[in-house]
Structure formats: structure tokens, C-alpha cells
Amino acid sequence: MATRRLRRSATRQGAGHGARGETGRNRRSAKAGVFPPRGGATSAAGLKHFTIAALLIVVGLPLAMIGLQAVFPEIAAGRLGAPFTALAPVFQDPRLPQLILNTLKLAAGVVLLSAVIGIPLGVLRGWFRIPVAPLWDLLMLVPFLIPPYIAAMGWILFLQPAGYWQQLTGWHAGNFLFSFPGVVFVMTLNVFPVVYFAVSRGVASAGGRLADVARVCGAPPWRALWRVTLPLAAPAMAASLLLAFAMSIEEYGTPAVLAANAGFFVLVTGIESRLSEWPIDLPGAAVMSLILVALALTVFSLQRRLLRGRDFETIGGKPAAMAERELGVWRWPVLLAFTAVVMLATVAPLFAIGATAFSRTLSGGLTAGNLGLDHFHAIFTEGSAALRAFGLSIGLGLAAALLTGLLGAAVAYVASRPAQRGGRWLDALSALPNTLPGVVVAVGLILLWNQPFLPFTPYNTVAILLLAYVCLLLPYPVRYAQAALRQVAGNLEAAARVHGAGIYRALWRIVLPLVWPSVLAAMVLVFAVASRELVASLLLAPAGMQTVSVFVWRQFEQGSVGQGMAVSLLTILATGGLILAALHVLRRLQRN
Amino acid sequence: MQVFSSVRGLAGAGLMALGLAAAAPAAALTVYSAGPAPLIEALAAGFTKLSGEPVSVFQGTTGKIFARLEAEAANPQADVVISASWDSAVDLDQRGWLMPYASPKAASVPDVYKTSNYVAQGLSALALVWNTKSGTPRPGDWNDLTADAFRDKVNLPDPAQSGTALELLAGLVSAQGDKAWQLMSELRGNGAAVAGANAAALNPVLQGAKAAVFGAVDYVAYGQKAKGEAIEVIFPSSGTVIAPRPMMILKSTSQPEQAKAFIDYVLSSAGQTEVAKVYLIPATTGVPAQRVGLADIPLLQPSRAVDGGTPPATDRATLLREFDQAFGR
């Protein structure tokens, strides 16, 4: 409370000093170059308004179109007739309660299991010196690079009767895979890395100094961890679990591939079927999407309530060397845990994908005579379609990572400053896309941008895919930046402002460097997810253009599992390699 | 001041969004087509080579194509639509979306596969697809899959997710009445699984997790067989259904002449040769099929195509309800 009061008064002072500081700022601005010599208060408002406007265009308007679609069933044809007639059929459907229950059950299962796996590993990674730590990080990132439906198909090929596991060991686990626990298991392996990365970053940045203080005051290391570091990292944990919840109510690939066999249906499969099976039911899908959004908002406000008053500022000014602790005798058990998780989350699906890609035929099985490069050969001889798709996906992934990183950091900043009224709404709006199935966002974007009266439109150009990815993935950088901002003391920024720095300069020189690692981590995730996004791309791909995931999907659709897996494998390796290279370069830059 | 800032912010963000947009779409003929992708790409390239007119293709499942058409209703983008579901064309026609066109090239297309507003691009049939290495006896008819040898070894595409599976169900019900539902109950009793759309039902049979698909789309299986998979495509002796793939021109098209020329090209012998290459049955009689032809496939009688209308009690909602009941879903 005291800090808040201080921060607010500091901001007021900063604004009050505006007139006096003007000349000084002008003089300095020549050196600062990129920072416009504007009055602090006006600039702050400018940033705020720009952020709000961008958020409205990218997220607000497409979502509003979904809302309108739910209320006015004929809006796609440009009419407002028969309002509210789409609501009754959805709510009177006797299966609806079961769908909602299944959705919550699945999400609860995935969040729980993600917490069980992600939190301990994340804490260990952030708190101790883990041998070859960057390698573990990379291996934990791989599940993000594997599209969920590919991972699910990989697990089927691996565990079903006559699958690779049975071919290798004589055992199969088809009954487990095609069941509720099986769906939770496969989905968790896709989702838990968000928790792992957020927790390890949170612990690493919360860990240092305050825990050392506890140690100096006599607390044993485990106690310092338990009483100081973990509570400090709680916001990061909660935010990542919320993200995991949203991902698991929104994810379509795994339930579609696995749960259909188990007879386990969720809201998102209901929505997708309304949008992908003729006859198409746009209004029904919109209404069901709003139910999903309502679920997510409930959990979201619950999280806000839980975290209220738990902002801990751990980065208060003095730079602290990160002294990582040694594991000692625990080294081997910890390594074993990491290995086990990586085997399940990364190696097993990659093995299934690779085995299928290098097999001439599926019916030939894992035999030496069936090994071959036929599928890879086909990719490079059947023209450049696969390569062009690959280039498009990489480009879109990079662009989406940059845009979401910038906008996400801005949204998190604007929403987190305590003086901002309506910050909560910004926050909620930026979280919403995470709860919406990609296909619904795609429909919203078509409804919005295909209006005949628009003078220009990104629709039917590559920009519509970018808009879709930015909308869908914005929640990652926002959550990550927010968790980081919660730890940055507002008085650092205030101090900069008091010393005459403009708002942009304070942001650029003080706030951004402090939240940069978190935003960068989120941008890497965005790149990974955007470069393999399928569900929205299937509907939005401009005529004559396809992304890698769409290309692979078309291969599967025609029964060419092997060729689809070959392209997937190449894509996973290439995106993984790119991320590795980028991180390497960034580490170099940071060191200099 | 506040308002001004907001407006300025909005304009800035708007410009950013617009700056991302490329130039207005070119005036290419836009075709929305259900799979297979290589076919529509070959047809587009062939048409462009012949006429010099560019073609822009959106390829997806029938469901995706229609979702996009519905969402675009205020400002339709497609000129020509090729679907894998005959019923979807019937529906668009009833809603008055289609432009009548009788292609001169359609003369040799059998009457049941054309109307004044749409015509088949090619035909597929629903078949039993059987893994020859599965250790099960070769099935000859639908009923054979209820035998003990096939316990837990049969996949059915979900008729709620596969238009062709729905057509097979309708065909079986209109030909055999309650016996069709009895067959479904016996399949369920024998451990048959309802496994997503067509590809999801076929893949486990390729690896050997399942021995047979009840009602697979034949041309996809022929394609896999040609790549060396150990499977056989079997047309059941009691008959199956044909799934014609309708082509249609949307009334809203701004380039009706190119659209008509495209339909003509697809029905020409060059176009139908491409259709045959992906193991579909050509719609015109002039080009031979690269697989079992129409004359050699036993058909369920009466099928929807012969009736020219939907027989009683085989509407989608009824079929899906009864199917769910038979499979206890």
C-alpha cells in the first residue's frame, strides 16, 4: 500500500515537473534520438490510447462480431433479422450440460497434471544450477513446436494395438490412450511447458536477493525457497496455470483426434463440428463460444481475486548477481526427473513422427526393409509447394512474435499501472482470445473484414493470417510481461521520470530491460505456436496460399500420413533450429 | 484532448493494420474446392495454360468450404465451388445461390449426376477397406464385419463428421430399412469403433490396429494402395452408394464467362484425365477410370441418386439420432 501511494505521488510529481523539465529534455533528446520530446503526461496518454485502439482492432472487434453473430443469426448475410433465435436451440440441447462438464473436467485434469509436472521442474530449473540447463529448456520447448493434433496422432501410432510400442515390446496401451485419462495425459504434455517456463523465470527473478537475505538471517536453503521465493513466484505460477486452463478448454486437436474414439466430447469439439460439418451453423457455434468465454472469465476473475494484494516487488534497483545454488547429492534424482519428462513429452512423439516419416508404408511396420527416404524425396520433387508453405509459416511466425511482443508488453504495462482505471478490462480483453477456439476467431475475422463497404481489407491477403495469430497469441506475452511487471517496483520508473526521462525513455531504459527476458520467452512461444497454427489457418488461408500446417493437414486428409509426418519433422527441426540460433545471438548481444 | 488522443490512437492502429494489407485481390477466378489438393491444383494449372486466365484456389474439407461461404455471405468471394457432398449443392441451390449453367461438355455425364445448376466433377464410391496382413478373412459384404474374426477390428467414419459416411447410412437405410440399424447394432456388439472423419478411420487400418473400415472413401484408399500400403478396396456384394462431387457456379460471381469456361475445362477430356489420375471415377463417359469402374460396382437400390429426392426417414437429424442410439453415444 505504501509503495502504491508513493508511486502515485511520484507520477503526479513527474507530471508537475513537466513544464520545468521541458528544456532539459529537449537538450537530451538530441542524444536520445528515437525518443520524441513530448510532455510526459501526454505521452503516457498517447501510449495508452494507442494500446487500447490496437487491442480493440486486433481483439475487440473480431470478438464483438462473434457476439453479434450469436445474437443476430443472419448477420453473416448482412441482415439483423430474427434476433436471439439462435440461443434457444443451443441451450435446449440436452447434451449441453454434459459438454460443459466434460470441458471443465478436462481442463481441471490438465491444469492439475501440468502443475504437478511443471511447477517442481520449473522451481528446480529457476533455483538450482541444473547441468546442461539450456538443453533441457530447448527439449521442453519442443512440445510447443509439435502441433497438438500431430502429437496426438503420434501417440496413436505409438500406443495403439499394432503400434510402434507393440512392435518393439509386444505391449500396447490403446485402452488407456482412448480414454479420459489418456486425453488428459496427451494434452498435458502439450500444455505443461507454459507452466514450466513461467515458473522457472518467476523463481529465477524472484529468487536471488531476498532469498539470500533469508539465508543471511539464518534460514536453511529449503526454508528460504519455501517461505520466500515460492510466495514471490506465486503470481507467475497462477498466471501460467490460468494460461494452461485457457489452453485446455480451447485446444481442439487433441480432443478431436483422441476423444472422439473415447466418446468424450467437449464444448470445442461441439463448436468445431458446427463449423466444419455441413450444414454449417455459425450462430450456434457463436453461442457456444460465448459459453466458453464465460467459463474462462469466471476463472480469470477468480485468479484476480486470489492474487489481489500479492504483488511483490523484488527488483528494486540494485543489480544482483544471480548466484545459482548447487544440487549436491540431489543432482541425479533431479536429472532423472527431467529425463523422464522429456522422454514422454518430447522423445516419444518425435520418435513416432520420425518413424512414420522414414517408413515407406505404415503397414510395413518397423522393419529395415521398410525404411526409406521416399516421403522426403516426394516433398522435394513434387514442386515447391511444401517449401513455399514453410517460408510463409516462418515469416508469419516471426511477424506474429514481434507484433505480439510489442503490443503485449504495452498492454501489460498500461493495464498494470495502479492509477489506470479500466486496467482490469484491458487485462480481460487481452486474455479472451486464449479461451476462444481458433476457428471461432477466424469466423469473427471474416465477419469483420469481409464487409463490402470497407475500402481496404486484409481479408484474402496474408495479413489476415497475421491478424488471426496476433489475436490468438497475444495472451502469452501479456501474461508473461504482467508476471514480470508485478515484480518490478514502480518507483524505479518513477525515479527515472523524476530525473527528467520521458515516459518512452523510462520504458525503454528501465522497464523494458527488466521485463525483456519474460517477454522474449513469450515471443519464442508465440513464434513456435504461430508457425504451426492450424485451426484458424485452415479457414482463413487466402486463396492460393497455404501454411505448413495446412499443407500437412491436406496430406493427412488424403491418407498420406507418412508425407505429412515428414514435413512436420522438417518443420519442427527448422523452427527449433531457428529458435536456438536466435537465443544464441541474443545471449551474445546481452553479454556484450 | 482525451477524445482527440483516442481518435489519433485509433487512426494510428488502423493505419498499421491497413499497411499490412497487400493490394486488392487480383481478378483471378476464385475456386473453392474440396480435396484432393493435387487434383484442383492440376486443374487450375491446366485451365490457366489453356485460357491464360489465372485461377486462385482455396482447398479445404467440404465443411471448411461451406463455413467460409457462410461467413462470407455478405460479400461472396468464390466464383466456382467444388464440394464432396451432393446434398450441400442441393442446399445451396434451394437457397438460390447458384447460377444455372448447362455445360456442352456435360452431355455424356449420366443424368443422375447433373442438374441444371450443378454437375458432377467426378465420382467416388464407399467401400470396405481391408488390411491384407491383418490375419482376418477377406470380407465380401458389409455383414462379414460382424463376424468373430473382426471383433474390435472395425472402424466406421463418424457420419456426423463425414458427409460420405452419412450418405452410405442413408443408402443402407433406404435400401434395407430396419435391417440397416440391426447391422449397426451388431457392429457395435462386435466392438466396432466410430473414429472421427474419413482419414481418422483409415489410418489405424494402415498400421494394423484395425483390420477394416466400414464405408471408406475409395479413391483415398486406392491412392494409399498405389503407394504400397497392404490394403484392398472391396465393393460389398449387397451394394454401396456413389458419392458424386458437385461443381457449381455462384450467382454472385463477377466473371461468369471464366467460371463457365472452367467448368467446361474440368469436364473436357483433359480435365477428366486429371480426375482419373487421383483414382476418382470420371463423371463423363469418355475417359476411362484408373480403377474399378462404375459398371462394376454393385449399388444399393433405391439410392438417393436414382430417386432424385431424399427417401423418407433418412434426413440428417434422424439418421444421426438413430446412429447415436445404435452406438450408445
Side-chain angles (χ1 to χ4, degrees):
Chain A
M1 194 59 221
T3 7
R4 287 195 181 172
R5 214 176 302 129
L6 175 72
R7 204 184 297 158
R8 219 170 280 155
S9 66
T11 318
R12 256 202 305 276
Q13 272 173 20
H17 281 294
R20 193 173 59 96
E22 200 68 279
T23 49
R25 200 174 298 122
N26 279 341
R27 200 169 56 234
R28 263 189 303 277
S29 71
K31 198 167 57 184
V34 288
F35 305 104
R38 289 216 227 135
T42 323
S43 295
L47 177 71
K48 181 180 161 192
H49 292 302
F50 182 84
T51 306
I52 292 174
L55 194 61
L56 278 180
I57 287 177
V58 172
V59 178
L61 290 180
L63 298 202
M65 292 310 287
I66 306 286
L68 287 176
Q69 174 71 74
V71 176
F72 301 105
E74 295 172 8
I75 199 156
R79 291 188 299 268
L80 296 182
F84 298 105
T85 50
L87 297 177
V90 173
F91 283 100
Q92 284 164 2
D93 188 342
R95 298 183 205 200
L96 184 67
Q98 189 63 47
L99 287 182
I100 294 178
L101 200 69
N102 282 353
T103 302
L104 289 175
K105 225 170 98 180
L106 180 62
V110 172
V111 167
L112 212 66
L113 197 55
S114 297
V116 167
I117 300 175
I119 290 181
L121 291 188
V123 169
L124 288 168
R125 168 73 180 88
W127 184 251
F128 292 105
R129 191 195 312 284
I130 306 276
V132 286
L135 179 69
W136 294 119
D137 280 0
L138 180 73
L139 289 171
M140 299 276 189
L141 191 68
V142 173
F144 271 121
L145 303 177
I146 308 176
Y149 76 98
I150 302 259
M153 287 190 69
W155 278 106
I156 292 180
L157 291 167
F158 195 59
L159 287 186
Q160 75 181 352
Y164 296 127
W165 190 244
Q166 186 165 24
Q167 293 175 33
L168 291 171
T169 67
W171 293 72
H172 77 81
N175 293 336
F176 164 70
L177 195 59
F178 298 117
S179 70
F180 172 69
V183 180
V184 170
F185 170 78
V186 171
M187 211 166 189
T188 300
L189 293 180
N190 284 323
V191 166
F192 89 90
V194 278
V195 180
Y196 167 79
F197 284 113
V199 170
S200 68
R201 296 288 176 283
V203 168
S205 58
R209 241 156 30 91
L210 290 177
D212 288 342
V213 171
R215 296 274 305 181
V216 168
C217 296
W222 289 103
R223 193 149 163 218
L225 174 68
W226 186 249
R227 299 293 299 274
V228 177
T229 306
L230 288 189
L232 289 176
M237 275 181 213
S240 68
L241 290 177
L242 181 73
L243 212 51
F245 175 85
M247 283 169 84
S248 48
I249 66 170
E250 170 270 342
E251 170 54 39
Y252 165 70
T254 316
V257 175
L258 281 180
N261 276 292
F264 183 84
F265 297 101
V266 288
L267 276 173
V268 66
T269 41
I271 291 169
E272 182 72 28
S273 75
R274 279 172 154 77
L275 289 178
S276 60
E277 290 154 22
W278 183 86
I280 301 298
D281 179 12
L282 290 185
V287 173
M288 288 180 86
S289 307
L290 293 187
I291 299 176
L292 262 189
V293 169
L295 284 184
L297 277 183
T298 312
V299 175
F300 182 77
S301 64
L302 216 70
Q303 185 233 14
R304 282 217 50 131
R305 191 158 306 166
L306 284 177
L307 285 184
R308 187 174 298 155
R310 282 183 187 253
D311 290 5
F312 300 108
E313 295 162 345
T314 54
I315 302 176
K318 289 179 187 155
M322 286 286 183
E324 285 168 330
R325 290 136 202 93
E326 294 296 339
L327 272 166
V329 288
W330 287 97
R331 188 186 165 107
W332 296 111
V334 164
L335 278 183
L336 198 69
F338 271 81
T339 311
V341 169
V342 162
M343 288 302 276
L344 280 179
T346 305
V347 178
L350 275 187
F351 171 79
I353 293 169
T356 313
F358 285 103
S359 295
R360 290 217 172 99
T361 63
L362 264 180
S363 47
L366 287 175
T367 55
N370 192 33
L371 279 180
L373 295 172
D374 303 28
H375 298 308
F376 295 94
H377 191 65
I379 295 167
F380 291 103
T381 50
E382 272 178 20
S384 53
L387 296 177
R388 260 183 294 136
F390 179 74
L392 180 64
S393 282
I394 296 293
L396 280 170
L398 288 174
L402 272 177
L403 285 180
T404 51
L406 286 175
L407 184 56
V411 169
Y413 173 77
V414 170
S416 70
R417 293 299 98 172
Q420 294 295 349
R421 290 174 61 206
R424 188 146 50 109
W425 294 106
L426 268 188
D427 205 18
L429 188 59
S430 70
L432 279 186
N434 211 245
T435 67
L436 281 171
V439 66
V440 173
V441 170
V443 168
L445 284 170
I446 297 181
L447 292 175
L448 174 64
W449 292 112
N450 192 41
Q451 295 300 335
F453 58 81
L454 291 173
F456 308 101
T457 172
Y459 188 52
N460 261 328
T461 72
V462 68
I464 196 77
L465 287 174
L466 188 57
L467 275 176
Y469 297 166
V470 171
C471 175
L472 282 168
L473 299 172
L474 189 61
Y476 290 78
V478 173
R479 290 307 111 205
Y480 275 52
Q482 220 159 39
L485 278 171
R486 281 176 195 280
Q487 297 179 340
V488 174
N491 52 14
L492 282 181
E493 183 197 339
R497 299 292 301 283
V498 167
H499 285 87
I503 168 114
Y504 292 109
R505 187 147 186 224
L507 282 179
W508 185 252
R509 301 294 291 271
I510 308 291
V511 179
L512 198 61
L514 291 174
V515 301
W516 172 240
S518 292
V519 174
L520 186 69
M523 283 168 68
V524 168
L525 289 188
V526 169
F527 171 73
V529 177
S531 56
R532 62 145 172 84
E533 202 284 337
L534 173 72
V535 183
S537 314
L538 272 180
L539 195 57
L540 284 177
M545 241 181 252
Q546 54 184 347
T547 64
V548 164
S549 54
V550 172
F551 181 88
V552 171
W553 179 262
R554 287 175 184 168
Q555 299 292 330
F556 284 144
E557 208 185 294
Q558 297 308 313
S560 307
V561 186
Q563 206 166 319
M565 288 300 193
V567 176
S568 299
L569 189 65
L570 290 180
T571 311
I572 292 165
L573 292 178
T575 43
L578 269 176
I579 289 174
L580 209 60
L583 291 181
H584 183 72
V585 169
L586 282 169
R587 214 166 291 140
R588 273 270 176 86
L589 287 177
Q590 267 172 357
R591 221 171 282 157
N592 294 342
Chain B
M1 183 64 211
Q2 193 89 337
V3 173
F4 173 68
S5 283
S6 282
V7 169
R8 195 174 51 184
L10 193 69
L15 282 176
M16 189 176 79
L18 290 176
L20 295 169
L29 184 73
T30 303
V31 179
Y32 286 10
S33 171
L39 171 59
I40 189 60
E41 278 156 21
L43 288 174
F47 177 72
T48 304
K49 202 170 161 195
L50 193 75
S51 66
E53 305 275 356
V55 179
S56 176
V57 174
F58 172 72
Q59 195 262 318
T61 59
T62 300
K64 281 287 172 288
I65 287 170
F66 278 81
R68 189 148 152 156
L69 287 175
E70 296 271 354
E72 288 176 350
N75 185 17
Q77 303 283 330
D79 300 304
V80 175
V81 176
I82 303 172
S83 156
S85 155
W86 194 257
D87 287 346
S88 63
V90 176
D91 181 55
L92 280 198
D93 196 18
Q94 278 167 359
R95 286 156 66 179
W97 284 33
L98 302 187
M99 188 178 88
Y101 177 55
S103 168
K105 302 277 186 187
S108 76
V109 176
D111 282 346
V112 288
Y113 303 130
K114 66 185 175 196
T115 74
S116 57
N117 293 2
Y118 45 97
V119 56
Q121 172 207 35
L123 318 170
S124 68
L126 281 295
L128 289 173
V129 171
W130 174 59
N131 185 321
T132 55
K133 300 201 306 193
S134 63
T136 51
R138 181 185 185 277
D141 200 0
W142 303 119
N143 288 319
D144 293 348
L145 297 187
T146 60
D148 255 0
F150 286 97
R151 171 156 288 276
D152 296 333
K153 294 231 172 245
V154 177
N155 259 357
L156 285 85
D158 186 349
Q161 294 182 48
S162 158
T164 49
L166 189 71
E167 290 194 32
L168 174 61
L169 201 58
L172 284 168
V173 169
S174 60
Q176 306 175 351
D178 282 346
K179 272 171 68 186
W181 293 119
Q182 200 183 331
L183 173 62
M184 293 299 140
S185 303
E186 285 172 20
L187 281 171
R188 185 202 176 193
N190 205 27
V194 181
N198 293 319
L202 179 60
N203 289 337
V205 173
L206 298 181
Q207 204 182 25
K210 303 281 175 178
V213 185
F214 182 106
V217 182
D218 58 354
Y219 76 91
V220 175
Y222 276 120
Q224 289 311 302
K225 196 183 167 196
K227 286 188 178 163
E229 296 289 0
I231 51 173
E232 190 180 340
V233 181
I234 300 164
F235 294 104
S237 53
S238 66
T240 184
V241 298
I242 298 291
R245 302 162 51 87
M247 287 192 286
M248 56 212 109
I249 303 174
L250 293 188
K251 215 187 225 168
S252 51
T253 178
S254 58
Q255 18 197 358
E257 292 317 310
Q258 286 101 312
K260 288 175 182 173
F262 183 78
I263 302 276
D264 291 348
Y265 173 74
V266 176
L267 293 173
S268 72
S269 62
Q272 291 291 296
T273 304
E274 296 294 345
V275 170
K277 269 188 199 163
V278 296
Y279 305 103
L280 283 163
I281 304 168
T284 63
T285 46
V287 176
Q290 305 293 313
R291 37 148 304 164
V292 175
L294 196 54
D296 299 317
I297 299 174
L299 294 182
L300 284 164
Q301 303 289 342
S303 77
R304 175 203 41 70
V306 172
D307 258 7
T310 316
T314 57
D315 63 285
R316 185 173 192 271
T318 312
L319 285 175
L320 290 183
R321 195 174 56 240
E322 301 229 4
F323 182 84
D324 283 353
Q325 217 165 7
F327 273 85
R329 305 200 304 164

